[in-house]
Amino acid sequence: MSAYVFPPPAQPSVAVAGSDARFPVHRIYCIGLNYVDHVREFGRDPERAPPVFFMKPADAVTDNGAAVPYPPATHNFHYEIELVVALARGAREVAAQDAPGLVFGYAVGNDLTRRDLQSAAKERGEPWDTSKGFDCSAPVAAIRPVSAGHITRGRIWLSVNGTLRQESDVSRMIWGVPQIIAALSRLYELRAGDLIFTGTPSGIGAVQPGDVLEGGVEGLEVLRNTIAPPARA
Ligand code: MN
């Protein structure tokens, strides 16, 4: 066993409801354009704009209740409330009908986005990494284990300073959770510890330092984060 040249970074992790043990995060996969009304708010045709995959680094996870610093290099910082799926085991090329067997549990997450950088990347046909995969870009509330049941329907919502901004039902996803897992497993070897952000409904918008974001999915812990002033060098 070789020594490391410096201590390895801490293992990113997410709280588990009803447990002191934490869920160790391996990768964070995300799907975009997965609610018809959200595809339309981008001025696109849901029939012609299939869902798209992208990733965030594992250490972008941020705890429920934590202050999120307003990130650098943006003037249009957006929330996106999403159902998050946590995997208990991995697979390659899994069938949709077998995908629920991989799930550890479900949580509420916020796919924070530097929308101005994303718009510029879309215009130029460039990757989304800088718009999606920045520090603290993935707040996630406690994961509810599947022993409490799978999430296939239920209200999803987000408020800013108490005003409702997003509201839909997770049953209105274009690709459901089993289809998303099956599709990802044809692109990557899925592993225990993977998180999957499943897309946001319409109502996206910008936030400023001092704003309080609250969001939920029926049956799961509510996610609350305050936007803090930019971190200083
Ligand atoms: Mn999203």
Side-chain angles (χ1 to χ4, degrees), residues 30-33 38 54 80 82 111 113 132 197 199-200:
C30 304
I31 187 168
L33 304 173
H38 177 59
F54 58 94
E80 293 188 2
E82 310 203 357
D111 169 19
T113 301
K132 291 290 195 177
F197 279 63
T200 200

Side-chain angles (χ1 to χ4, degrees), residues 1 3 24 38 41 47-48 64 67-68 72 106 114 121 148 153 160-161 168 184 190-191 196 198 202 206 209 212 229:
M1 182 73 179
H38 177 59
E41 87 182 327
E47 301 290 327
R48 293 175 162 212
N64 196 2
V68 173
Y106 298 88
R114 294 192 279 210
R153 55 166 300 283
V160 179
N161 303 326
S168 187
L184 277 172
L190 298 177
R191 298 275 299 274
I196 305 169
T198 59
S202 63
V212 178

